[in-house]
Amino acid sequence: MKKTALIMAGGKGERFWPKSRLSLPKQFLSLTNDSRSMLQLTVERILPLIDMQDIFIATNSDYKPLVLQQLPDLPSSNVICEPVGRNTAPCIGLGAVHISKKYEDAVMYVLPSDHLIKDTDIFLRTLESAAELADSGPNLITIGITPNYPETGYGYIKFDSSRPVACGYRVEKFVEKPNAVLAAQYLEDGCYLWNSGMFVWNVSTILRRMEELIPETYDILKRIQTAIGTDQENIVLKNLFPTCISESVDYAIMEHASNIFTIPGRFGWDDVGSWLALERHNPSDEHNNIRRGKTITLDTENCIIDSSDKLVATIGIKDLIIVDTNDSLLVCSKDRCNDIKQILSELKSNKSFNLYL
């Protein structure tokens, strides 16, 4: 069984502004104390299962130098540069035709580049089980996360607990982000998982499903595939890929295909969606502050303080996020951290502030 991986690394990480920028988005940052970026951690995590030459990174051309700088052992040809963002279905399809061009068929792990996993051993065993299920038939596997609280910020996967299959379950349906009442019901029900955005399938299987369900995108991807490795590859990619319909793989494929299975993941997953995630992955001081860089605190409680070069001193505050960079300073109430995107909207609308994006 040949195993490959497509790691999606084209996101902007806007909720981690001002550290995350267009020139250096979240996946290339270190958000834990080990100095490795989230992309580096993602790749290192799967190396026991997959050779570096079989790992592909989907990103855009602006980030290719960053990818190769952080992953010097990765073949340059394994960095797949999307000319424009077209959501996850075309992205995954582009990765699939690259892998198919190289190997004809293989198991394909699809992983985001900006998640953190606490228990790597359990994670790898889960991926191995998913690969066996994917390789046993025309099956599409999604890794669901066993919820431990009623989260309203994730989509959910409803599975049929009465029909276990090998290490997983048949998927009944995918559901959108719920309100607080529904999220509590899902948690109590016990048959719902968080949708992690991690998938496992054979390349031939996902391409067949694309041919059936999104034939126009499939045809475009196959035309691109014929140019891979030729001197026309970049021209064909730039001309054809933007014509793909922008849609998620969940909406385009997973909600409509048959033979959909999920495997519950219990390996300490975190999608690191905002600055608050630092509280889950970094040690705190005696006053429950997360402090990174040069900081001095007095009567400061329950804060996240991240300094790049300058000393940050705080007195008599609590429940704040303070992030200092060489050109920007964020001071934000912790309960408003999801509104950072609104600040970015203001920056985008004012041309004089575009350099801070």
Side-chain angles (χ1 to χ4, degrees), residues 232-275:
Q232 295 296 305
E233 179 177 351
N234 288 335
I235 295 174
V236 171
L237 181 64
K238 289 179 181 179
N239 288 338
L240 294 183
F241 190 78
T243 65
C244 291
I245 297 172
S246 179
E247 52 192 339
S248 71
V249 72
D250 294 278
Y251 177 79
I253 304 296
M254 304 300 283
E255 293 182 7
H256 307 288
S258 57
N259 286 58
I260 308 294
F261 300 89
T262 188
I263 296 178
R266 302 177 180 88
F267 37 72
W269 171 86
D270 195 323
D271 77 334
V272 196
S274 73
W275 281 109

Side-chain angles (χ1 to χ4, degrees), residues 74-122:
L74 184 79
S76 177
S77 59
N78 285 21
V79 183
I80 302 170
C81 296
E82 300 172 276
V84 294
R86 281 294 177 264
N87 214 317
T88 54
C91 173
I92 290 168
L94 185 60
V97 296
H98 271 266
I99 295 170
S100 177
K101 184 87 171 186
K102 185 174 183 178
Y103 291 120
E104 188 172 348
D105 200 11
V107 169
M108 177 183 180
Y109 295 113
V110 178
L111 305 171
S113 60
D114 56 356
H115 292 178
L116 291 177
I117 305 291
K118 287 185 178 179
D119 196 320
T120 298
D121 290 339
I122 295 177

Side-chain angles (χ1 to χ4, degrees), residues 186-203:
Y186 293 166
L187 183 64
E188 183 177 358
D189 184 280
C191 293
Y192 288 84
L193 304 171
W194 292 335
N195 189 349
S196 71
M198 294 185 281
F199 306 97
V200 186
W201 40 53
N202 278 347
V203 170

